[in-house]
Amino acid sequence: MKKTIITLGLLVGATGLAFAQEKPKTGNTKDTIQANSGKTKDIDEVVIIAYGSQKKGEVTGAVGKVNTETFKDRPIARVDQALTGQIAGVKTRATSGKPGEPLEIRVRGTASISASNSPVYVVDGMVVDDMANISPDDVQSIDVLKDAASTAMYGSRGSNGVVIVTTKKGASGKPTFSFSQYYGVQTIEKKLDIMSSSEWIDFATEAINKRWTALAPGNLASDSYEKRAQYFNLANTTDYNLANINYMIDPRWGTNQVAYIDWQDEFYRPAAIQNYQLAVRGGGKGIKYAISGAYFDQEGLAINTGFNRFNLSAAIDVNLSDKIKAGITLRPSYSQSYGATVDGKDNTAHKMLSMVPVAELSAGVYTNFWKNLQYRWAGSTQSPIGLMENTTNDTNEFRLLSSLYFSYDILPGLNLKLSGGATNNFNINTGYTPTFNLITNVPGQVSIGSRRTVNYNRYLGEGLLSYKKSFGNHDFDAIAGYSAENYRTTTQYNRNRGFPNDDLKTFNFTQSVSVLNSEYTASEWMLISMFGRVNYNYKGKYMLSASIRRDGSSRFGWNNLWGTFAAFGGGWKIDREEFLQNQNWLSNLKLRYSWGENGNNSIGDYRAFGTLSGGNYSFGGSVSTGLIPNTIANPDLTWEKTKSSDFGLEIGLFKRIDFTADYYIKNTKDLLLQEPIASVTGYNTIWRNVGSVRNTGLELDLSTRNLVGAFKWNTSANIAFNNNKVTKLGNNNKPIPTGFSDLTNIIMVGEELNSFYLYEAIGVLSSADIANAGVAKTVGAIAGDVKYRDVNGDGKIDENDRHIIGGPTPDYYWGFTNTFSYKNFDLSVFFQGQKGGYSYALLGRAIDRTSMGTTQNVMGNWANRWRSDAEPGDGKTPRLDGTTGGLLDTRWLYDATYIQLKNITLGYTFDKEVSQKLKISNLRLYVSLENVWRKDHYYGGYNPESVQSDGTDYGAYPNAKVYMMGLNFNF
């Protein structure tokens, strides 16, 4: 794979060189380039940086940019989806295919253990928590600040990168209306390989016959159902609900007297996705405005799940005088998500996949539901179809993002800007689980209703003084600012059981029999910051920048509330030197270096303080309710700090090829970690600053304009390598177990974060292995059990043979886009993927381990299980009644390498004559295919990306293929 990617890059570069001598036919060279460049970068392109903007040629830090052209015709529900595969060093993962779910974004690796690793998001200059209420159609561009020199101005939040979203603004002139719409159909990207009904019948038959023949001498696998019934003194041999399923086979198997069910086909469905947006932008003398409204609706692949969102946006900028400007932005949104929880341990998808694919004809997919008995040879799990159709789990959320500013030009070049903003979220989740078993219960008897309300309010005030001055060959600008932020969250949760009936599924605690939960919590924290930056440019050749920020966070101990973070950067535009003038082949040559420090305070509130919980005291023999300490204070708890260096090279050739390379070193120390302490203190853990993590990496970005004639072809490619390593831990570098039950992963000095720490399966034990004392085995092992590597060579398999086998971090990840256009047609083809890293399929293990019995379904590989030495199967899948099912081993560890054809879009823009007849302009029709094709090694789950931060997957909601058609026009 590595060789393939590098070859692709070389081919792209060679192609660009091959066509580099072709000259523009007419017009100014720069204008022609800009008109035909597609994604080709120009040194005069403006990029957004912290509290301002710069020409790309003057930037001293590592900044990546995404324009709307890369995602305007894709069915994306959230702005963060637009980052996938577009910027080197920015990795996104869809940890769940559930509609409306955010992506996990990592900029230059994972640095923290317990604190957040997510970047900070900035929308039109205002820091926000996420981008959930921003319509992708409102976005003008996305800039990602990657190195410390770029992010240090955000101090306490910049250690994980900064994602800056700039939205479309109004412009002077008459109102311009734009309309965009698409409609598509989604289908499941991949089904899991689960045993079919015939395979499961064979599986169950073998297990039952083994138990029957071992039960008593003379019992034969060929013994009839009636003979076995007589053995257990069953007088009625036609009442199959009386059968002893451990020893009796259903005689109806293979006949039309029972139902055969593919549960995945019943559970997942083709689902609609649609989006509509109408916007008006314009302005008159002294005022500009941009107003838009959007509606997005996405049905979930799983039945009775989905997400919809209404967005409004209004941005108004007013020139009150020659020196005074003001503006206000309001972005309200309302979203609804619905449907029972699908992904995760013991949730509905897990239950569905483990359902026996056979049921009574009278019950079908509603087996063991309402008044239907469970199928005798199946487990007690209730119909997942019934659960999905009748469980209420609705979340309604109102968000309001509002901001305003006042700008005053005090003197030429000197400006004061005062701004304020608020984020107000109100979230209500209502749940109702009716009484599904109506054989032994009446409606409402064991029903559970719940209601959770979360009210989140965030307020920000900033003052910014900026100064710009040019004199001779010198350009100088500086800013100084102050900001204060306040966050407050209140949560109320009630959960009750037992209601008069299931007819009215409205939570009313006064009607319930018992209260299961009744909670109210509130939390608050503040951040105060002072910051400044200076940029200097001499002759457009030599650039210097320096910044400093001081933050105070209420989340830390009284002794260490404040942190100071500084950064500097330098750049040299070599192509502007005299010795490189009067040449046409070099359009850009620039060297950059930056160094800086950032902080991280993204832990929960009150971690530095001793908190109290409810408890009982005895006074005079009577029990009294009171409060007792439940956490230990640490007044010295302080900032997690990241120091990083970046070395950058930018090259432009023939005004057709742009290449950027960045090498970075990123060291994070004073990790915020919940460290175990001696129980003699009365506590189990304490929050401390312990340990350090190092990330190093190389990022390469290439853009070429391969053809510029009537037929145009542009290419954009990026690839990023990252090496992650723990360099220090607390308590004498004692390793920290993590992952599932702390048994799958480990954090250890010298290894990457959350390395997999497992038993290594190397095959299946034969009878000869069992007889050979030289073959290491687990205690009580039998032929057909999993065979493990004896790591320490002591002749036995035990805890000491667990060892590190890779980690979740890929060796590299990449994106590769080609765009073509000819006359009115355009085509875009986008690939992305990664090489290396591992995913651990906990869902796969849950339905793919020995000795699980036959009352649930298992993975399809069990059709090739070990049956005997003569029938060893695939050599990896053990016997169905083995002894090693409790061990977590590498049978469920998969190479996370994948390559994906992410999107193909074909569009047609109608001629002006056609548009004018319809009294519209820029009429464009397109078809787009999303998640078209994927090649991976992931057998135990739906998607190798859908894993938690430790690389484990307990059944994430599957991704969807999307087939859609869209329409855009202005009027």
Side-chain angles (χ1 to χ4, degrees):
M1 177 64 73
K2 183 181 293 186
K3 183 177 180 181
T4 302
I5 303 304
I6 294 174
T7 302
L8 284 172
L10 292 174
L11 285 174
V12 172
T15 305
L17 286 170
F19 292 98
Q21 302 304 318
E22 182 180 344
K23 296 181 179 180
K25 294 181 179 179
T26 59
N28 178 275
T29 301
K30 180 180 174 183
D31 292 340
T32 305
I33 292 171
Q34 289 178 336
N36 298 294
S37 64
K39 282 196 65 179
T40 299
K41 302 168 187 173
D42 190 277
I43 59 173
D44 292 324
E45 177 186 19
V46 174
V47 296
I48 307 301
I49 59 174
Y51 301 99
S53 63
Q54 280 185 304
K55 291 181 179 180
K56 180 175 175 55
E58 299 174 356
V59 173
T60 60
V63 181
K65 190 177 187 70
V66 179
N67 291 310
T68 55
E69 293 297 315
T70 62
F71 62 87
K72 65 183 179 66
D73 295 333
R74 291 178 54 197
I76 61 174
R78 298 172 53 98
V79 175
D80 45 16
Q81 293 174 272
L83 293 171
T84 300
Q86 299 299 317
I87 300 176
V90 179
K91 179 168 175 54
T92 66
R93 287 196 300 114
T95 58
S96 173
K98 182 181 178 182
E101 287 295 289
L103 269 66
E104 179 190 88
I105 300 176
R106 295 289 181 264
V107 179
R108 294 187 164 181
T110 300
S112 184
I113 296 176
S114 299
S116 172
N117 284 287
S118 297
V120 62
Y121 302 103
V122 180
V123 178
D124 292 333
M126 181 179 172
V127 176
V128 298
D129 297 290
D130 59 34
M131 299 179 285
N133 65 336
I134 307 298
S135 170
D137 284 332
D138 283 333
V139 175
Q140 181 66 43
S141 65
I142 307 172
D143 297 84
V144 180
L145 314 183
K146 299 186 288 184
D147 69 321
S150 303
T151 63
M153 288 296 287
Y154 291 102
S156 63
R157 293 158 302 200
S159 60
N160 299 315
V162 180
V163 178
I164 301 179
V165 177
T166 303
T167 61
K168 298 173 182 176
K169 299 296 189 295
S172 298
K174 63 180 182 180
T176 300
F177 292 84
S178 61
F179 176 77
S180 61
Q181 176 270 337
Y182 64 75
Y183 183 90
V185 176
Q186 309 164 92
T187 60
I188 189 169
E189 186 181 36
K190 167 189 172 182
K191 286 175 61 178
L192 285 192
D193 179 24
I194 303 298
M195 275 192 169
S196 66
S197 55
S198 60
E199 290 172 333
W200 177 83
I201 288 171
D202 175 70
F203 176 79
T205 299
E206 178 187 348
I208 293 170
N209 282 338
K210 274 191 172 185
R211 290 192 291 266
W212 168 251
T213 55
L215 181 62
N219 285 357
L220 302 175
S222 59
D223 288 342
S224 67
Y225 179 86
E226 288 75 15
K227 181 175 179 179
R228 302 185 192 198
Q230 292 173 3
Y231 181 90
F232 293 108
N233 298 315
L234 300 181
N236 188 344
T237 60
T238 59
D239 186 351
Y240 300 113
N241 288 314
L242 300 176
N244 187 322
I245 63 169
N246 289 318
Y247 304 99
M248 300 173 67
I249 296 170
D250 189 344
R252 299 170 295 173
W253 287 346
T255 73
N256 59 3
Q257 298 177 51
V258 289
Y260 305 105
I261 302 170
D262 186 322
W263 286 103
Q264 291 186 91
D265 285 349
E266 301 292 339
F267 192 82
Y268 298 116
R269 57 167 180 187
I273 181 172
Q274 55 189 316
N275 185 75
Y276 307 87
Q277 170 144 331
L278 177 65
V280 57
R281 300 178 180 90
K285 185 177 181 180
I287 186 170
K288 297 177 183 179
Y289 58 86
I291 302 171
S292 67
Y295 172 68
F296 175 82
D297 182 67
Q298 183 179 11
E299 293 180 343
L301 292 173
I303 58 174
N304 201 33
T305 63
F307 172 83
N308 57 66
R309 182 186 62 225
F310 299 85
N311 287 89
L312 290 175
S313 176
I316 301 174
D317 298 279
V318 181
N319 293 338
L320 299 176
S321 71
D322 292 340
K323 292 185 176 183
I324 302 175
K325 298 178 182 179
I328 185 171
T329 300
L330 296 174
R331 301 186 191 279
S333 69
Y334 177 73
S335 64
Q336 298 174 303
S337 61
Y338 55 90
T341 304
V342 173
D343 43 1
K345 177 175 167 38
D346 297 328
N347 284 322
T348 319
H350 181 186
K351 294 176 180 178
M352 175 270 297
L353 291 167
S354 62
M355 288 292 290
V356 165
V358 181
E360 297 289 349
L361 278 175
S362 58
V365 297
Y366 297 102
T367 183
N368 197 26
F369 203 79
W370 299 140
K371 292 189 176 181
N372 295 318
L373 293 172
Q374 72 180 73
Y375 178 58
R376 183 62 176 151
W377 281 265
S380 60
T381 302
Q382 294 169 313
S383 164
I385 307 302
L387 291 172
M388 293 298 295
E389 291 178 346
N390 294 279
T391 299
T392 299
N393 180 28
D394 299 339
T395 299
N396 300 280
E397 183 168 39
F398 174 77
R399 293 171 173 252
L400 176 61
L401 177 63
S402 54
S403 63
L404 55 86
Y405 74 88
F406 174 87
S407 174
Y408 175 56
D409 293 330
I410 304 171
L411 295 170
L414 180 63
N415 175 266
L416 173 66
K417 183 177 181 181
L418 302 176
S419 59
T423 302
N424 306 101
N425 297 348
F426 184 66
N427 179 296
I428 302 176
N429 174 267
T430 56
Y432 193 86
T433 304
T435 301
F436 294 133
N437 183 345
L438 298 182
I439 297 175
T440 57
N441 301 301
V442 297
Q445 182 176 349
V446 293
S447 301
I448 294 176
S450 66
R451 179 183 175 90
R452 183 190 301 272
T453 61
V454 180
N455 195 354
Y456 172 75
N457 298 286
R458 179 172 179 268
Y459 300 98
L460 166 69
E462 286 186 340
L464 185 67
L465 189 66
S466 61
Y467 180 70
K468 289 186 178 182
K469 181 68 176 178
S470 295
F471 47 95
N473 294 318
H474 307 274
D475 294 309
F476 168 88
D477 69 78
I479 62 173
Y482 176 90
S483 71
E485 300 173 58
N486 176 267
Y487 303 74
R488 181 173 174 81
T489 303
T490 58
T491 303
Q492 184 168 349
Y493 178 56
N494 297 92
R495 181 169 170 263
N496 292 28
R497 182 199 299 271
F499 294 90
N501 56 57
D502 287 327
D503 296 330
L504 187 62
K505 298 179 180 179
T506 301
F507 180 76
N508 187 339
F509 68 90
T510 62
Q511 297 177 346
S512 64
V513 174
S514 60
V515 176
L516 302 179
N517 300 88
S518 182
E519 305 168 4
Y520 178 86
T521 60
S523 63
E524 183 176 16
W525 72 284
M526 294 187 66
L527 181 71
I528 296 176
S529 308
M530 295 158 282
F531 51 89
R533 180 181 65 214
V534 177
N535 291 327
Y536 171 73
N537 184 327
Y538 177 68
K539 286 187 175 182
K541 293 189 292 185
Y542 313 112
M543 287 78 67
L544 293 173
S545 67
S547 65
I548 189 168
R549 177 162 175 145
R550 185 163 173 80
D551 287 315
S553 172
S554 65
R555 283 177 164 168
F556 294 127
W558 297 117
N559 299 336
N560 285 308
L561 292 175
W562 292 90
T564 302
F565 310 102
F568 67 85
W572 179 24
K573 284 280 292 173
I574 305 174
D575 61 296
R576 292 185 178 175
E577 296 289 355
E578 292 296 329
F579 59 84
L580 284 176
Q581 299 304 301
N582 302 318
Q583 47 74 33
N584 295 320
W585 61 273
L586 183 66
S587 55
N588 182 31
L589 179 59
K590 178 182 174 183
L591 291 176
R592 323 181 245 100
Y593 171 75
S594 66
W595 176 94
E597 184 176 39
N598 302 105
N600 193 340
N601 69 344
S602 302
I603 56 174
D605 301 330
Y606 314 121
R607 298 295 191 259
F609 307 99
T611 57
L612 303 174
S613 63
N616 296 325
Y617 290 83
S618 178
F619 291 103
S622 299
V623 177
S624 299
T625 301
L627 295 172
I628 60 174
N630 69 332
T631 62
I632 186 170
N634 180 4
D636 295 319
L637 191 70
T638 190
W639 299 87
E640 186 173 283
K641 303 177 184 70
T642 297
K643 292 181 180 180
S644 62
S645 300
D646 182 277
F647 304 83
L649 169 67
E650 300 174 13
I651 301 175
L653 300 173
F654 309 105
K655 298 181 180 179
R656 304 281 293 277
I657 300 172
D658 286 291
F659 173 76
T660 302
D662 279 274
Y663 176 77
Y664 61 87
I665 303 170
K666 182 176 172 182
N667 290 302
T668 303
K669 67 175 184 177
D670 296 333
L671 296 178
L672 292 163
L673 187 64
Q674 198 170 9
E675 186 180 27
I677 58 176
S679 57
V680 69
T681 62
Y683 304 92
N684 295 319
T685 60
I686 184 173
W687 279 89
R688 284 179 176 161
N689 295 100
V690 293
S692 57
V693 173
R694 180 183 178 91
N695 281 278
T696 57
L698 176 66
E699 300 165 355
L700 306 175
D701 193 302
L702 177 69
S703 296
T704 64
R705 293 169 54 240
N706 307 314
L707 293 175
V708 295
F711 179 78
K712 299 178 179 65
W713 171 26
N714 298 325
T715 298
S716 174
N718 66 81
I719 187 170
F721 303 81
N722 179 264
N723 181 268
N724 174 274
K725 183 179 292 187
V726 179
T727 54
K728 184 180 178 182
L729 288 173
N731 283 342
N732 299 317
N733 290 328
K734 182 179 178 181
I736 303 171
T738 62
F740 177 67
S741 298
D742 289 341
L743 292 173
T744 56
N745 302 75
I746 197 167
I747 298 173
M748 181 183 294
V749 171
E751 305 293 340
E752 74 172 87
L753 277 173
N754 293 307
S755 293
F756 290 107
Y757 190 62
L758 304 161
Y759 294 93
E760 185 179 354
I762 57 175
V764 178
L765 292 167
S766 66
S767 298
D769 290 330
I770 296 298
N772 186 350
V775 176
K777 298 174 280 290
T778 56
V779 176
I782 57 178
D785 270 340
V786 178
K787 186 176 185 178
Y788 295 107
R789 185 177 304 282
D790 183 11
V791 175
N792 63 357
D794 63 357
K796 60 183 179 181
I797 302 299
D798 57 21
E799 172 69 19
N800 297 316
D801 292 303
R802 292 174 65 201
H803 67 116
I804 290 176
I805 309 175
T809 304
D811 300 329
Y812 59 84
Y813 46 95
W814 54 273
F816 186 65
T817 304
N818 282 282
T819 57
F820 310 88
S821 64
Y822 179 72
K823 295 185 177 180
N824 294 35
F825 289 94
D826 59 84
L827 174 68
S828 173
V829 182
F830 169 36
F831 285 88
Q832 59 100 206
Q834 69 179 40
K835 171 67 173 66
Y838 289 94
S839 300
Y840 197 76
L842 287 169
L843 172 69
R845 178 182 180 272
I847 52 177
D848 177 24
R849 64 183 191 274
T850 189
S851 299
M852 293 176 59
T854 58
T855 58
Q856 59 180 305
N857 205 359
V858 294
M859 298 290 290
N861 58 280
W862 281 87
N864 294 317
R865 62 192 174 276
W866 187 95
R867 299 171 190 256
S868 66
D869 289 333
E871 296 182 87
D874 59 15
K876 297 179 293 184
T877 306
R879 61 189 294 155
L880 56 82
D881 54 350
T883 67
T884 58
L887 300 183
L888 288 126
D889 61 45
T890 57
R891 284 189 57 241
W892 305 287
L893 187 68
Y894 296 94
D895 181 356
T897 298
Y898 73 89
I899 179 172
Q900 182 177 35
L901 177 52
K902 187 68 175 179
N903 180 267
I904 299 177
T905 298
L906 175 64
Y908 181 82
T909 302
F910 288 83
D911 291 328
K912 291 183 179 179
E913 293 78 6
V914 176
S915 299
Q916 288 172 350
K917 289 180 181 179
L918 299 172
K919 297 184 178 181
I920 59 177
S921 62
N922 299 323
L923 175 60
R924 171 179 162 79
L925 184 68
Y926 64 92
V927 292
S928 182
L929 309 179
E930 188 84 359
N931 297 330
V932 184
W933 169 83
R934 179 194 294 268
K935 176 66 175 177
D936 61 47
H937 308 288
Y938 196 42
Y939 180 75
Y942 286 111
N943 183 347
E945 290 185 285
S946 299
V947 295
Q948 303 306 306
S949 58
D950 58 12
T952 61
D953 170 26
Y954 220 127
Y957 199 114
N959 282 351
K961 290 184 179 181
V962 185
Y963 309 84
M964 56 167 275
M965 178 176 289
L967 174 71
N968 303 324
F969 61 84
N970 298 335
F971 61 94

